[in-house]
């Protein structure tokens, strides 16, 4: 029996998610709920209805009773409390604007699907992102094994039980750790969780001797200051030469998908503020670091 | 860009050079009609008149001169005469010789003086043989050469008047005598190219510029006459010259002028052609960011990765250059069609993407277009309706077999409609095509290769329709044939759910699904088989292709709804591309699908076009990955590829016409989206960001 998991997207030619030509699968569900999350449909572990507003002609056909079991299920579970009315029909929109985020799939089936492109991933491989892939450990590990011998990367928040994190380090070729804040109280405020677990896992990663990537999404006025970046650099210092740091400029498109989920994007920071990040704390310590637009 | 070239660039971009244009010449057609002048004579007289009316204008600082000042050519035929000609003949487009690749190199090397002597010697033989047609042709060529050389002399005199002795020296030498230096060769090219447009031919392509110009540059570099920077400056000035008169050139849209230039690729002797001049051309195009000349890059399994890198850097500029073609597929495909191996290795692209042979091809690769969806729909109406009436369900295989058969019938029908082809004579163009002087016959009558090419439009619409019919009508039986036909007849009125299912849930070409890709392979095979064995009246073959030109709009306009959920009149994808409303998994799957067919069999040309957000090209690491993607396409047997970094104008257009840009993908930080589905605010943001990106 192959383990079953839940995903919300598959993307090809993801040039930023590891070396070479890659495909990325996004696991659904995340223990964190970062205020700036640009994949909000990746937060909930439950399937969700997504309605794209752009292109909608308000014909109302998606609101008519349809009798499809999959529409009814989504409507019952989510439609009402998300402001999407009694739910929507997934199969009626002339513009194709109504969809479901969240597909249940076995590790075996998912691997078979992705391996169809295996001979096209020049110098690359597969990346597992999310959501938080480590939140579906059993599914993740079986899936990784089924992708072998391809190169596999995992992009994680680091928020996972140490044994799961350790297992992930052992099984994948590259860990990409998204590091939000070094201060636990600030981390709690921005993501809904403290960071002790994450830092413990990070320390293990640093001590492991493996090569890895760290990504810091720069949130204006929150984590882009000198203090936090210096603290990040200090923590990574023992891994200099093995770690590659990417500071990701805040992108004002982060909120694009909230409306589709019937939610409102409410950043606590000034989106328009210039995010000017200083790479010197990293470079002083011999850590390869770059700012990404 | 040097200061000197920058000034010329500014002048041309500001269109200041257009102020030298003067009024049109007096009409000539009525006089010609009264005299019942033969077409060759009319052509010679008109071209001479145009060249005589041209004013010598030298722009400040330019080292490569010649500027059109007579904007419009007088008509050759009175309206009644032209109608008469049309009634009796098949007239391709405007009737002029077009869309071929002249051999400039021979005349640049020999000089027009020597070519004139050659024509004159041949004329004496024609006179001796009482070959009246040959005489007229050769006399016309001489008259045009003389008129052109006279204009060159006036340019030289103007140069002297302005104290530009350097330019005067160049013009004293070329094109009358053979070019000795890179600069002289460029000036000679400019004058020959200029003369072709004055004769009325259009889509006059540039060909393998980096091959035939390389010996001149190589010699200059070796002798120290030029260094690389000096060479780049000349290439840039030369490239600017393509943008001076181009608004006067005929085309379906502004920019559709056929000034295609081909770089790299296998040489006739089998060696690799990419050289320093190829590199300088890529650099010049990247720096100038102008739409002409249109850069094509020939690649193959032997091409070094660095060439793909340089190509990707140019793509990142958002011009839609370069267009790649794959020697590994194109050359054998052309050989299979009967082209000699050395000629096939020398292939170039015509105005858009049709593969032709410089100097030797009078092919008309865009003479007609076959609409795959129209044939499909015809079969569906005929065969599926019959099946319903008889209450007999044929198999999908039987239905598909009848579609393939009908495709072949259609090929024969189209070919049968092309009879009595006639083109306006082109003596000057003939001078630049192999063997025309020796044959004493005009190029409009044919050359070494006289093949025709058919575009194939709406492949994805046809394949997606077949896939939907197979799945829903035959396999699942969830949709009756009659029900489908009725929905099509009513343009899906009242059938929203069916429409949504066909559009967004049905299988689509471009998702890397082998069962669907195999349908595409079979449809293209049927197209290739449909034209195989057909001969045109000039003894040429018919070439099947994957291009669409403007037919992706024209064919689609008149066509009713199709079983893939396309509504009546909705556009097809352009060229060899997925359907415009298909939701696809991504570029890798698209490449997988679109390299599945046997593309060497449909080698008339027609690229897979993929659009990417400019941010995909940010940084060396990402660009390397895009270069790898192109290599992947080549390695998998793709024939032709065009990548676009999507630019601001395109996004603005997408806001105004979202339906036309449904498959436009934008990268938005960690995820990708269909641009038209983003809220306005986010679209505006991407557009604002474009100003920094491009």
């Amino acid at each position: 029996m192959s383990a079953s998991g839940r995903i919300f997207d598959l993307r090809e030619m993801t040039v930023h998610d590891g070396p070479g030509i890659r495909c990325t699968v996004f696991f659904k569900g995340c223990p964190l709920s970062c205020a700036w999350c640009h994949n909000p449909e990746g937060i909930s572990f439950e399937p969700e209805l997504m309605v794209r507003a752009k292109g909608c002609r308000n014909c109302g056909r998606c609101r008519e009773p349809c009798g499809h079991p999959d529409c009814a299920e989504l409507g019952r579970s989510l439609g009402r409390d998300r402001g999407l009315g009694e739910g929507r029909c997934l199969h009626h929109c002339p513009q194709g604007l109504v969809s479901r985020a969240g597909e249940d799939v076995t590790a075996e089936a998912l691997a078979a699907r992705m391996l169809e492109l295996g001979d096209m991933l020049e110098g690359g491989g597969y990346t597992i992102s999310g959501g938080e892939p480590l939140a579906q450990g059993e599914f993740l590990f079986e899936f990784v094994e089924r992708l072998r011998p391809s190169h596999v990367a995992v992009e994680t928040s680091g928020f996972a039980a140490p044994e799961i994190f350790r297992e992930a380090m052992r099984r994948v070729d590259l860990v990409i750790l998204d590091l939000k804040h070094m201060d636990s109280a600030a981390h709690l405020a921005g993501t809904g969780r403290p960071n002790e677990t994450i830092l413990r896992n990070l320390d293990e990663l640093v001590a492991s001797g493996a090569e890895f990537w760290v990504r810091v999404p720069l949130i204006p006025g929150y984590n882009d200051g000198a203090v936090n970046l210096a603290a990040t650099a200090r923590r990574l210092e023992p891994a200099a030469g093995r770690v590659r740091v990417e500071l990701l400029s805040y992108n004002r498109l982060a909120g694009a998908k909230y409306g589709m989920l019937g939610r409102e994007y409410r950043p606590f920071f000034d989106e328009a503020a210039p995010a000017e990040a200083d790479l010197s704390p990293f470079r002083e310590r011999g850590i390869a670091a770059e700012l990404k637009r | 860009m040097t200061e000197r070239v920058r000034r010329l660039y500014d002048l041309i971009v500001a269109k200041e050079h257009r102020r030298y244009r003067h009024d049109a010449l007096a009409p000539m057609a009525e006089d010609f009609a009264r005299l019942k002048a033969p077409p060759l004579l009319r052509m010679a007289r008109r071209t001479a008149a145009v060249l005589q009316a041209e004013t010598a204008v030298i722009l400040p600082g330019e080292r490569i001169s010649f500027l059109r000042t007579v904007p419009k050519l007088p008509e050759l035929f009175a309206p009644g005469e032209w109608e008469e000609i049309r009634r009796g003949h098949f007239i391709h487009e405007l009737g002029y010789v077009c869309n071929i690749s002249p051999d400039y190199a021979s005349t640049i090397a020999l000089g027009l003086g020597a070519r004139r002597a050659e024509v004159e010697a041949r004329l004496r033989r024609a006179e001796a043989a009482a070959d009246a047609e040959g005489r007229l042709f050769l006399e016309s060529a001489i008259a045009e050469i003389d008129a052109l050389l006279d204009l060159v002399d006036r340019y030289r005199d103007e140069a002297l008047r302005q104290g530009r002795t350097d330019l005067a020296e160049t013009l004293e030498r070329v094109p009358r005598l053979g070019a000795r230096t890179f600069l002289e060769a460029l000036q000679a090219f400019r004058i020959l190219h200029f003369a072709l447009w004055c004769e009325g031919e259009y889509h006059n392509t540039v060909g393998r510029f980096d091959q035939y110009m390389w010996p001149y540059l190589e010699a200059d570099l070796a002798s120290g006459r030029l260094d690389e920077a000096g060479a780049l400056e000349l290439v840039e000035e030369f490239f600017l010259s393509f943008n001076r008169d181009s608004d006067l050139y005929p085309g379906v849209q502004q920019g559709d002028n056929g000034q295609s230039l081909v770089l790299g690729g296998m040489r006739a002797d089998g060696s690799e052609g990419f050289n320093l001049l190829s590199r300088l051309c890529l650099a010049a195009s990247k720096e100038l960011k102008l739409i002409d000349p249109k850069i094509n890059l020939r690649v193959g399994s032997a091409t070094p990765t660095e060439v793909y890198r340089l190509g990707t850097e140019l793509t990142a500029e958002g011009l839609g250059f370069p267009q790649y073609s794959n020697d590994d597929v194109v050359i054998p495909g052309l050989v299979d069609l009967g082209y000699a191996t050395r000629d096939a290795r020398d292939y170039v692209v015509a105005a858009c993407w049709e593969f032709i042979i410089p100097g030797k091809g009078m092919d008309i690769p865009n003479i007609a277009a076959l609409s795959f969806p129209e044939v499909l729909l015809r079969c569906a109406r005929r065969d599926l309706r019959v099946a319903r009436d008889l209450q007999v369900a044929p198999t999908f295989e039987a239905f598909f077999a009848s579609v393939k058969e009908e495709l072949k019938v259609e090929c024969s029908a189209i070919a049968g409609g092309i009879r009595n082809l006639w083109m306006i004579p082109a003596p000057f163009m003939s001078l630049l095509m192999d063997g025309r002087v020796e044959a004493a016959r005009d190029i409009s009558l044919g050359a070494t290769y006289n093949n025709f090419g058919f575009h194939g439009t709406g492949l994805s619409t046809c394949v997606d329709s077949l896939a939907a019919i197979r799945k829903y009508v035959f396999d699942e039986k969830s949709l009756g044939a009659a029900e489908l036909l009725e929905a099509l007849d009513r343009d899906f009125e009242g059938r929203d759910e069916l429409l949504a299912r066909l559009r967004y849930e049905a299988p689509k070409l471009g998702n890397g699904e082998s069962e669907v890709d195999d349908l595409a392979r079979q449809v293209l095979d049927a197209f290739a088989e449909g034209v195989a064995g057909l001969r045109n009246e000039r003894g040429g073959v018919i070439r099947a292709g994957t291009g669409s030109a403007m037919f992706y709009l024209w064919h689609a306009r008149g066509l009713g709804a199709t079983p893939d959920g396309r509504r009546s009149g909705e556009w097809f994808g352009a060229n060899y591309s997925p359907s415009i409303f298909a939701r696809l998994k991504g570029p890798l799957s698209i490449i997988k699908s679109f390299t599945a067919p046997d593309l060497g069999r449909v080698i008339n040309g027609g690229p897979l076009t993929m659009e990417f957000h400019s941010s995909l090209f940010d940084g060396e690491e990402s660009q390397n990955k895009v270069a790898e993607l192109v290599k992947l396409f080549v390695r998998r047997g793709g024939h032709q590829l065009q990548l676009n970094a999507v630019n601001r104008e395109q996004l603005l257009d997408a806001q105004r016409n979202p339906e036309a840009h449904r498959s436009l993908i934008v990268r938005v930080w960690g995820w990708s989206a269909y641009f038209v589905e983003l809220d306005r605010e986010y679209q505006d943001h991407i557009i604002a960001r474009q100003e920094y990106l491009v």
Side-chain angles (χ1 to χ4, degrees), chain A residues 193-224:
Chain A
R193 299 280 187 177
N195 71 0
E196 285 79 8
T197 310
I198 293 170
L199 294 182
R200 195 163 57 236
N201 286 332
L202 172 64
D203 290 344
E204 281 214 34
L205 188 58
V206 168
S208 70
E211 293 190 3
F212 62 100
W213 292 10
V214 164
R215 283 179 165 171
V216 181
L218 293 175
I219 308 304
Y222 171 69
N223 63 358
D224 59 340

Side-chain angles (χ1 to χ4, degrees), chain A residues 10-16 18-23 26 36 38-39 52-54 57 61 68 90-97 116-117 119-122 217 244 248-257 260 290 293, chain B residues 496-497 499-501 503-505 512 567 583 585-592 615-616 618 621-622 625-626 628-629 632 635-636 659 662 667-672 675-680 682-683 685-686 689 692-693:
Chain A
L10 287 168
R11 291 284 168 192
E12 300 176 0
M13 188 73 188
T14 42
V15 294
H16 305 291
I21 293 187
R22 310 189 74 80
C23 291
F26 297 82
W36 54 85
H38 62 279
N39 280 333
R52 291 162 173 81
K54 186 76 193 171
R57 294 166 183 179
R61 288 185 185 127
H68 302 119
L90 295 163
H91 309 292
H92 239 102
C93 176
Q95 322 302 326
L97 303 177
E116 280 184 17
L117 294 173
D119 60 342
M120 303 186 70
L121 306 178
E122 195 63 34
R244 157 175 159 161
L248 312 175
S249 296
Y250 178 73
N251 190 307
R252 294 191 60 194
L253 295 159
K257 291 200 254 181
M260 300 176 190
E290 60 180 315
R293 184 157 50 188
Chain B
D496 307 311
E497 190 169 344
L499 178 67
R501 175 154 51 122
R503 282 173 86 88
Y504 307 118
E505 295 175 22
R567 283 170 292 209
R583 301 285 166 78
K585 294 178 196 161
L588 300 177
S589 292
I590 291 175
I591 286 179
K592 188 175 182 193
S615 64
L616 182 71
D618 280 349
E621 202 176 336
S622 295
K625 292 182 183 186
V626 177
E628 285 297 334
L629 192 73
L632 191 64
R635 204 177 58 228
R636 295 182 71 92
E659 280 298 323
R662 286 207 70 93
R667 178 82 183 176
V668 196
W669 195 357
W671 51 286
S672 295
F675 177 77
V676 298
E677 290 179 357
L678 293 170
D679 288 337
R680 178 78 188 203
Y682 295 100
Q683 289 188 347
H685 180 272
I686 288 179
R689 201 175 62 182
Y692 302 106
L693 283 173

